[in-house]
Amino acid sequence: MCGICGWIDFDRDLGTPDARRELAVMTATMANRGPDDEGTWIDGPAALGHRRLAIIDIQGGRQPMTHQEDGRPALVLVYTGEAYNYRELRQRLADLGHRFDTSSDTEVVLRAHREWGHRDPRSAVSELNGMFAYALWDTAKRELLLIRDRLGIKPLYYYPTEHGVLFGSEPKAILANSLAERVMDAGGLRRSLCYFADPYSTVFCGMHEVRPGHIVRVTREGIQEVNYWQLTDSGHTDDVPTTVRRVRELLEDIIQRQLIADVPLCTLLSGGLDSSAMTALAARFSDERIRSFALDFVGYTDNFTPGPGRTTPDGPYVRDVAKFVGTDHADITLSADELMDPNVQAATLHARDLPLTMGDLDSSLYLLFRAIRQHSTVALSGEAADELFGGYRFFNDPARVQADMFPWPEISNGIALQSLDPGLVEKLDFPDYLDEQYHGALREVPALTGPASADPHEHRMRQICYLFLTRYLPPLLDRKDRLSMAFGLEVRVPFCDHRLVEYVFGTPWAHKTFDGREKSLLRAATADLLPLSVVQRVKSAYPAIQDRTYDRMLRTRFTALLNDRNVAVAPLLSVDGSRALLNTTDNLEGMEYILALQNFLANYNISIKV
């Protein structure tokens, strides 16, 4: 796992001292993502930067990496991520005559493009199983390819310029270049207030994400985007027992692949079905005793109050799994003071490059990863299992399922909207935006075929599953990547393996709920690995602090902001609406957003143009 960035300018030689300095600054912004090494490559119109987090082939695998022909670089690669099938691909390439200089997966990706991608890059990238984002420069064609994994696990952004493009693993790399404007328009504000992915825009004017499963080609003639993967209908015909067996087979293969690392590895354990099954499989296939880590808060279990989505504390279940599986376990226990530390909150926002905040959920995850990084360099996470197997309660809420809108309740930060200037809210036109985003997503859903195609409920649940995988999941993957890579911690997500996603997505909803519960297929496939308490446990969301000290500290900080009319966010606010937040109870996310937006505007020196 690493950080990449670069600059292509077809009308300029980027080997000048000024251009070299700009590339160095861009590359330096990725230092947290790659603390182990740094490299740049510049030739004519192309300048590539790389920061390395060494996971496989610690001594080799330096980047940028070149493929030489006739004594000159023909292909130049900057790569971040992991290709979990690199050993098989390496053998296939060796059988075709390739000779390797390193044992890294980076060189396998480079040579795969030379062998299979010289006519169509989709032929090369389709061979990869993993999480990745990379840039490949062809010196003869003078062509840049920007490529992102199928589910969008690893981030990659680009910013078209008059004569080329800027790109980076994170927006901050692009913003470090003087060609990039630091502007946020109405679209950016809308994006920052919504809890779903908009694959066609970012919060920064002129900046784009490489969409999951897509390749962006940059030449002198312009920029083109093509997809190499998308969710499709499989016409699933396996019965339930066969489906359960296939899910188990896939999970066993996935976990074994994702245990490969030349550095210390652990699992993130919450005591839920997803992380527990993953941890149990990791313990079964690991050559060493697996380390596991869990998040806790001071006094959380003893004083736990059930609420919507959080019916039980994690602690007792975490201990059951750790004992049953035999992990080397540790809890990371946090306090309200730690979560409200201004330095922690500022660092969390800087890591995310977004004013969109999940409040204490973000800062607690940031601190969890900081603590884990002292012991491990790689962590396995259960992220994406709920979206894939139908774990959220909204999947089984008839009102949510039947509504002509995204099925999760937190579509936008409505509480924060109440604190914004009414004229601004009118310009943002949220009703039309939400409707456009929702129906645009529905137009992408592959048609249902096979025996289930005649069932209207199956048809609707196919849409719901697609929305969760393509609009709800991406922000969660991005959040986990940014907050973990802030410390150079590589988080792997086994449930995002595209083979598993393709298979389960094509499975009828009736199979996914065959026992009348959420995540029926996953539970049946892994029940023998787990303590009964976890098998029977109802899903409980990521823990949020329940210490009222956090609430009081947040209100104090928000009040101070409202009393300072010189803050950057002041022109966007309704004074009456903002002060009304202080007189309501369920208002934390509104105050957290306004504080985050202020931090974002001030620290990034962002101009608002609405």
Side-chain angles (χ1 to χ4, degrees):
M1 200 73 69
C2 310
I4 67 172
C5 64
W7 181 8
I8 304 297
D9 192 320
F10 293 104
D11 279 14
R12 183 175 175 183
D13 181 358
L14 297 181
T16 64
D18 286 346
R20 288 180 179 274
R21 278 192 293 270
E22 293 235 45
L23 179 65
V25 173
M26 293 173 69
T27 305
T29 66
M30 300 288 96
N32 287 343
R33 297 186 72 92
D36 298 327
D37 197 9
E38 177 180 10
T40 59
W41 185 91
I42 302 174
D43 183 40
L48 308 181
H50 186 267
R51 293 288 313 204
R52 186 183 184 207
L53 174 63
I55 302 294
I56 294 174
D57 188 6
I58 305 301
Q59 301 305 316
R62 295 197 66 197
Q63 298 186 50
M65 185 175 286
T66 62
H67 173 72
Q68 303 281 328
E69 292 184 3
D70 299 325
R72 289 182 52 80
L75 299 176
V76 188
L77 175 68
V78 283
Y79 169 85
T80 175
E82 303 290 347
Y84 301 122
N85 64 335
Y86 80 98
R87 290 175 173 172
E88 298 100 302
L89 294 180
R90 180 188 177 95
Q91 185 59 55
R92 286 173 57 193
L93 289 164
D95 292 343
L96 292 169
H98 288 263
R99 296 296 176 261
F100 289 83
D101 298 317
T102 75
S103 58
S104 69
D105 61 334
T106 304
E107 187 177 6
V108 171
V109 173
L110 182 61
R111 292 184 177 276
H113 274 276
R114 176 63 187 87
E115 180 65 36
W116 299 309
H118 58 283
R119 290 190 179 88
D120 186 343
R122 290 175 292 187
S123 298
V125 69
S126 294
E127 295 284 350
L128 304 180
N129 175 309
M131 57 177 187
F132 46 81
Y134 58 95
L136 184 71
W137 173 249
D138 188 313
T139 61
K141 295 180 180 178
R142 294 213 160 190
E143 172 186 88
L144 178 75
L145 300 178
L146 300 173
I147 301 174
R148 194 174 179 200
D149 65 64
R150 296 167 178 83
L151 273 294
I153 304 166
K154 305 312 297 177
L156 185 55
Y157 295 82
Y158 67 100
Y159 186 100
T161 63
E162 184 178 1
H163 301 297
V165 73
L166 305 169
F167 69 89
S169 292
E170 298 179 2
K172 60 175 66 71
I174 294 172
L175 296 175
N177 189 293
S178 60
L179 293 177
E181 291 187 313
R182 295 170 175 257
V183 176
M184 191 179 191
D185 62 7
L189 274 174
R190 281 194 293 260
R191 177 76 185 267
S192 74
L193 282 158
C194 289
Y195 296 117
F196 58 80
D198 177 352
Y200 299 96
S201 69
T202 72
V203 298
F204 300 101
C205 284
M207 192 180 297
H208 308 271
E209 283 188 80
V210 177
R211 289 191 284 161
H214 280 71
I215 300 171
V216 172
R217 177 185 280 112
V218 183
T219 64
R220 181 180 284 277
E221 285 68 41
I223 297 176
Q224 297 177 318
E225 185 181 43
V226 296
N227 77 303
Y228 67 88
W229 182 86
Q230 59 189 3
L231 286 168
T232 58
D233 182 76
S234 62
H236 192 91
T237 57
D238 292 346
D239 61 15
V240 170
T242 303
T243 302
V244 169
R245 285 195 301 272
R246 180 57 181 157
V247 168
R248 175 61 172 264
E249 291 169 358
L250 285 167
L251 286 173
E252 290 185 351
D253 180 71
I254 291 164
I255 294 297
Q256 290 179 78
R257 291 177 183 274
Q258 298 198 18
L259 286 174
I260 298 172
D262 295 332
V263 292
L265 178 146
C266 69
T267 67
L268 307 179
L269 179 60
S270 70
L273 178 63
D274 319 334
S275 68
S276 300
M278 175 194 71
T279 298
L281 285 167
R284 171 169 290 195
F285 293 114
S286 176
D287 294 332
E288 301 176 351
R289 188 182 182 195
I290 284 288
R291 295 205 69 168
S292 60
F293 292 91
L295 172 67
D296 201 0
F297 300 108
V298 174
Y300 186 77
T301 299
D302 293 340
N303 303 300
F304 179 78
T305 301
R310 294 186 182 89
T311 56
T312 53
D314 289 347
Y317 300 93
V318 166
R319 289 189 287 274
D320 285 352
V321 175
K323 181 179 179 181
F324 190 87
V325 173
T327 68
D328 178 10
H329 181 76
D331 290 329
I332 307 300
T333 305
L334 306 175
S335 67
D337 287 339
E338 291 175 286
L339 298 180
M340 285 300 293
D341 182 332
N343 293 325
V344 168
Q345 296 201 328
T348 301
L349 288 168
H350 181 71
R352 292 205 67 186
D353 279 334
L354 277 173
L356 173 61
T357 177
M358 298 176 73
D360 68 288
L361 305 186
D362 278 358
S363 50
S364 65
L365 191 61
Y366 176 88
L367 292 170
L368 173 67
F369 289 148
R370 184 177 73 177
I372 290 174
R373 186 60 174 89
Q374 298 174 25
H375 308 279
S376 297
T377 310
V378 175
L380 302 188
S381 166
E383 198 80 78
D386 286 311
E387 292 80 5
L388 182 59
F389 288 98
Y392 296 113
R393 66 184 189 278
F394 320 123
F395 279 99
N396 297 298
D397 182 337
R400 293 285 176 192
V401 169
Q402 294 165 14
D404 191 27
M405 184 43 67
F406 293 110
W408 47 93
E410 308 91 354
I411 298 172
S412 63
N413 194 328
I415 296 175
L417 277 174
Q418 298 171 24
S419 65
L420 297 181
D421 179 80
L424 173 60
V425 174
E426 185 177 356
K427 290 181 180 178
L428 295 180
D429 193 10
F430 259 90
D432 280 355
Y433 176 69
L434 295 177
D435 185 73
E436 175 188 326
Q437 290 295 312
Y438 170 70
H439 286 98
L442 288 188
R443 287 191 289 271
E444 302 171 3
V445 181
L448 186 66
T449 64
S453 60
D455 187 336
H457 184 63
E458 286 284 354
H459 174 75
R460 178 54 177 165
M461 293 313 298
R462 162 61 60 84
Q463 293 179 330
I464 297 294
C465 291
Y466 186 89
L467 293 174
F468 269 101
L469 284 169
T470 65
R471 297 304 191 271
Y472 192 83
L473 176 61
L476 298 179
L477 293 174
D478 184 76
R479 166 178 175 257
K480 186 150 285 184
D481 171 87
R482 302 298 192 84
L483 298 179
S484 61
M485 291 303 290
F487 302 103
L489 175 68
E490 175 176 294
V491 174
R492 299 176 178 178
V493 278
F495 291 107
C496 284
D497 184 290
H498 72 277
R499 298 167 301 159
L500 180 67
V501 172
E502 289 170 349
Y503 185 75
V504 176
F505 176 72
T507 302
W509 183 248
H511 281 32
K512 295 174 185 174
T513 54
F514 74 87
D515 64 357
R517 293 197 57 186
E518 78 285 355
K519 291 186 283 197
S520 304
L521 292 175
L522 180 59
R523 181 175 291 101
T526 59
D528 62 300
L529 302 169
L530 303 171
L532 185 60
S533 61
V534 171
V535 175
Q536 295 178 338
R537 187 187 185 192
V538 175
K539 176 179 171 53
S540 191
Y542 180 89
I545 191 168
Q546 296 185 342
D547 186 344
R548 302 306 296 176
T549 302
Y550 179 85
D551 189 330
R552 291 192 295 270
M553 295 173 72
L554 185 64
R555 289 173 182 274
T556 298
R557 197 163 295 170
F558 186 69
T559 301
L561 180 142
L562 295 183
N563 290 335
D564 185 354
R565 297 308 297 169
N566 294 319
V567 295
V569 76
L572 306 179
L573 300 182
S574 161
V575 175
D576 292 339
S578 297
R579 293 198 180 280
L581 283 182
L582 295 169
N583 300 318
T584 57
T585 53
D586 296 328
N587 57 5
L588 296 188
E589 66 181 28
M591 292 189 289
E592 287 167 338
Y593 172 80
I594 299 302
L595 288 167
L597 183 59
Q598 162 58 26
N599 192 318
F600 179 75
L601 296 177
N603 290 345
Y604 279 79
N605 193 24
I606 300 295
S607 298
I608 298 289
K609 295 182 180 179
V610 180

